[in-house]
Amino acid sequence: MCPTTEAVHRPHTLCDFSLVFPPDPGWVRTARDAVGTALRAAGRGDLADTALLLTSEVVTNAVNACRNGGCSEPVTLYGEWPVPAMLRVLVHDGAPGLPVRRRAAGDTADGRGLFLVEALADEWGVCRHGPGRGKSVWFELGE
């Protein structure tokens, strides 16, 4: 289920942001940089290590889902502060299917993303928007 948001009923802050980019791995760093900039602007550098790691994982999953699923639609990252000290990041892609937590085999480099999100985020989830393909993965940090 998607997070309910007060954003519809409140003005956006200077720290709310979005980024739309092609499903290409080169954009993961840019997504991390956008989240890092928002954290600095909001004075929440204490969340940076975890937020940047989780952003990398979620954006990488979205890019890989698109590339593996033949999706050419852009990936969209939304960041907002639904309450002053809480960051919410939502990443939407147009690839079919939902992400699945899977066990990483031995020392492989992939397969741990959603386990990290589950372990480190204060809240997280997966949701669908509208009647078309695609989904969003979101997480929240801070209180």
Side-chain angles (χ1 to χ4, degrees), residues 115-131:
F115 282 107
L116 289 172
V117 173
E118 183 176 53
L120 299 175
D122 293 321
E123 296 287 336
W124 79 281
V126 178
C127 54
R128 291 190 181 271
H129 292 285

Side-chain angles (χ1 to χ4, degrees), residues 49 93 117:
D49 289 341
D93 68 71
V117 173

